Amino acid sequence: MNHNPKAPAAQSLTRAVKPAKPSSPGGMVASSGDARSAGRLLVLIAIRRAGQIARIDISKQTGFSPATVTAITADLLAAGAIEPITPDDVPIGAKRGRPREALKLRGAFKLIAGLNVAARGITVLLTDFEGHQIGEFDYPLPAIRSSAEVLAENILAAVRGACAHYERNIDDISGIGIGLAGQVDGKRGFVHWSSSLTERNVDLGSVLGRLAPFPVFIENDANLVAKAEHLFGEGRNFENFVVVTIEHGIGMGIVIGGKLYRGSRGCGAEFGHIKVNADGALCQCGQRGCLEAYAGEYALLRAANEAGETPYASIAALGHAEQDGDPMARAVFDQARRLFAMGLANLVNIFDPERLIIASRNTSAHPLCAPSMLAEVAQLVMQVDAPMPEIRVHGWGDLMWAKGAAAFGIEQISELCVNEIGK
């Protein structure tokens, strides 16, 4: 089994969270109508955002009275969700007066796993309640597609493998967030279609719920990248932005007013499946002419391998061939970039976001994101007497999807926790 034996350095996944109205971002946790629970969640979010914060500052950020903050933090302290510390800004050796006590999340409170289900394997990222990375683990899949039952069993096997590798007990897992490519209704954990499943219209949440000893939260993987960008990436401090993801396929996440937009059926933001050629190339969704069928990594490799004599196993190899002057590789990328630029320009014209982010797991810019492609976007965008939204290319590395899934899991478990306190 392939795994990474080195745990990454501690890194907060959730430090940049902004206080928001107490709602259920993933739609998985029903509101109890308990105002105290809603207040606890707002206080918890304020503490997570600050890292460490005094009660008086929580009061300023949330608008709650000092007495209310004291009562809520007492509940959270009793539950073990937060802990008191001496603030970092207290001078060493200071003796005058009593040091102001600050509060922070207690990392050991919960153990959470974020999972990315990809074509060839499942990546598991274990984190504590603060969002510090405990370790990552790669679990290979025997097939690109499988039934819901087989996929659920592989997901649980991946979590068990990660726990065993890092000497944790699976019973200690408080919940898992799962990122899945395809049309996913995150509110219900229902998968209309996914490249990882042999079936359509699968209630994967229920299948996992029958097998898993912990809560499971499922969401479209591109939506989770948008969440990751909002919490600790290029979307920090922006309330309206669009994320386009490039990997095996093409995905999109939309954040409007600080919240994910999913559409009425939970299937919105399917940028990869906009039509660019009615009778064009076959897409993995089963239809023809989708943008993804020209610009997704599988489509780029398919076009190159059909047109050339040299087989290409990776996008990196195809990119190197273009750099070395291979005319076939250049032609494949030129067509994909032209269509991709058209699609991105349409996004800007429709949403006019504060920022457009192109995210990939490449640590450097994806070959699709050449300067010529970005320049073409600028030419195709409707011209007005104001600067066009900034386009940022963000190479996350291999943990891009798993980090988003972990952040989603932390968010959902936080809501469950505040609803359980006092019961």
Side-chain angles (χ1 to χ4, degrees):
M1 183 176 296
N2 180 30
H3 59 258
N4 183 348
K6 295 182 179 180
Q11 177 181 345
S12 175
L13 299 181
T14 53
R15 184 60 53 84
V17 179
K18 292 185 176 183
K21 293 181 180 180
S23 62
S24 179
M28 301 291 294
V29 181
S31 171
S32 66
D34 184 350
R36 191 70 174 266
S37 292
R40 293 186 192 113
L41 183 59
L42 279 179
V43 169
L44 201 61
I45 290 173
I47 296 171
R48 182 177 295 139
R49 178 194 183 195
Q52 56 180 26
I53 187 171
R55 289 175 178 82
I56 187 63
D57 295 320
I58 295 174
S59 178
K60 293 176 182 177
Q61 288 194 21
T62 61
F64 295 150
S65 69
T68 298
V69 170
T70 297
I72 290 175
T73 54
D75 290 341
L76 295 173
L77 283 165
I82 62 175
E83 59 187 352
I85 60 168
T86 300
D88 289 341
D89 57 1
V90 175
I92 297 176
K95 297 181 178 179
R96 178 176 296 180
R98 181 179 179 182
R100 186 175 63 172
E101 182 181 76
L103 299 169
K104 65 180 285 293
L105 297 180
R106 180 170 165 266
F109 179 53
K110 298 291 180 181
L111 178 64
I112 294 156
L115 281 72
N116 171 51
V117 179
R120 294 295 182 183
I122 299 173
T123 299
V124 182
L125 182 65
L126 294 178
T127 76
D128 66 13
F129 191 59
E130 289 184 86
H132 294 153
Q133 298 178 22
I134 294 169
E136 63 181 275
F137 183 85
D138 293 326
Y139 180 89
L141 288 172
I144 294 176
R145 291 174 179 255
S146 65
S147 67
E149 288 73 17
V150 170
L151 180 59
E153 290 170 358
N154 281 318
I155 285 172
L156 293 178
V159 176
R160 283 193 293 268
C163 289
H165 184 71
Y166 291 100
E167 299 181 345
R168 300 295 180 115
N169 192 318
I170 193 169
D171 293 333
D172 295 333
I173 297 285
S174 296
I176 64 174
I178 301 172
L180 195 68
Q183 297 169 336
V184 182
D185 184 345
K187 294 180 180 179
R188 297 187 293 147
F190 189 89
V191 182
H192 294 276
W193 171 85
S194 172
S195 56
S196 295
L197 291 170
T198 55
E199 310 144 287
R200 301 180 72 96
N201 300 315
V202 174
D203 191 354
L204 186 59
S206 294
V207 175
L208 278 163
R210 292 193 296 268
L211 300 175
F214 37 65
V216 176
F217 310 101
I218 306 171
E219 183 56 270
N220 170 269
D221 55 0
N223 278 345
L224 296 187
V225 173
K227 185 169 289 296
E229 291 285 6
H230 198 203
L231 299 185
F232 46 85
E234 295 290 345
R236 285 175 305 200
N237 303 319
F238 291 91
E239 296 301 289
N240 300 283
F241 64 90
V242 173
V243 178
V244 173
T245 61
I246 311 171
E247 197 190 20
H248 184 69
I250 302 291
M252 182 170 72
I254 304 169
V255 175
I256 299 176
K259 296 183 179 182
L260 281 174
Y261 173 78
R262 294 180 174 85
S264 61
R265 298 174 300 163
C267 300
E270 287 295 342
F271 178 59
H273 300 286
I274 64 171
K275 300 302 182 282
V276 295
N277 186 342
D279 298 312
L282 180 65
C283 179
Q284 64 177 355
C285 75
Q287 295 190 346
R288 290 187 175 274
C290 298
L291 173 62
E292 180 178 291
Y294 294 92
E297 290 186 355
Y298 76 88
L300 291 166
L301 292 174
R302 178 179 63 189
N305 290 329
E306 287 177 352
E309 297 180 357
T310 302
Y312 292 98
S314 69
I315 288 298
L318 187 60
H320 290 318
E322 182 190 30
Q323 293 173 4
D324 292 339
D326 185 332
M328 181 278 301
R330 183 182 300 115
V332 169
F333 275 118
D334 281 349
Q335 175 181 243
R337 288 176 185 136
R338 182 171 62 255
L339 295 173
F340 193 52
M342 290 172 56
L344 294 178
N346 287 333
L347 289 182
V348 174
N349 289 339
I350 293 170
F351 291 102
D352 191 26
E354 296 175 88
R355 176 170 282 185
L356 173 61
I357 305 165
I358 306 173
S360 77
R361 64 179 179 180
N362 294 42
T363 52
S364 57
H366 193 281
L368 204 59
C369 300
S372 60
M373 189 278 294
L374 298 176
E376 188 166 359
V377 175
Q379 292 178 352
L380 294 173
V381 167
M382 183 176 63
Q383 303 299 311
V384 297
D385 294 330
M388 68 171 283
E390 183 182 18
I391 300 177
R392 299 297 292 268
V393 179
H394 188 186
W396 275 92
D398 289 339
L399 290 180
M400 173 176 77
W401 313 94
K403 284 182 177 179
F408 181 54
I410 290 170
E411 182 180 71
Q412 296 299 299
I413 290 300
S414 296
E415 293 200 28
L416 284 177
C417 290
V418 297
N419 287 330
E420 290 299 320
I421 292 174
K423 289 186 178 179

